[in-house]
Amino acid sequence: MINNNVIWVNTSSLIFNPLWVDKTINNSWEYSCLMTEVSVYGIQLPIEVSVDNVVINGNKRLKIAIDLKMEKVPIILYQDDKLNDLITSSFKPSDLVKILEVFDSKYGLKYSTRYNKKKLPKVIISLRLFLIGSNERISQIYQLKEYSKQVRKSYSFETNEIWDQLDSFNISLDEGIERMKDLFERKTTINFSLENKMVA
């Protein structure tokens, strides 16, 4: 429902989310029902947008507003500091790795570019934060991914076991990192010992 936290803005000032794909939704039953509802009652659920007016959640509502030639729509602004408080516990850690890989492959958004050195659209930075939950979680997922990559070949069973426990939420991200780190240190110690024996 509309409440006091909502701002009404010109429909033409909003920008569709660059990750959203319009799959000819005009012909879908869901879109038709939503359009009918909006035409009768208006937009009851405000569109969530970033500070630079890019839609985070509500692309269909924006498209309907444009199709119905609505001059103004209700929005809620999402600030980065509010994004840090979001809980994304429904995503398994392995899913979070895949999400980060998409941002990396599509936009070159690595952990080192979290402060937008590449001048990416601000919504891309905000979306990654929105999906992962916080900068700390982004850092943890990158650490897990890196340690896993380093040890999987030598300790595939142990690595898979850690990921299984992470994905079933039996251990925390911090515990997963510590266990991956232990495997990494064990691998490093064994390799160092072997190299010394070969030299001797």
Side-chain angles (χ1 to χ4, degrees), residues 79-88 129-130 133-135:
Q79 303 288 345
D80 284 351
D81 59 343
K82 291 180 183 176
L83 290 172
N84 284 334
D85 297 331
L86 291 174
I87 298 172
T88 55
L129 196 58
F130 178 83
S134 69
N135 281 321

Side-chain angles (χ1 to χ4, degrees), residues 11 13 37 45 50-51 81 91 96 106 146 165 170 196:
T11 305
S13 68
E37 181 183 319
L45 184 64
S50 64
V51 291
D81 59 343
F91 287 113
L96 295 178
K106 190 164 185 179
E146 188 55 34
Q165 291 184 343
N170 288 328
N196 281 348

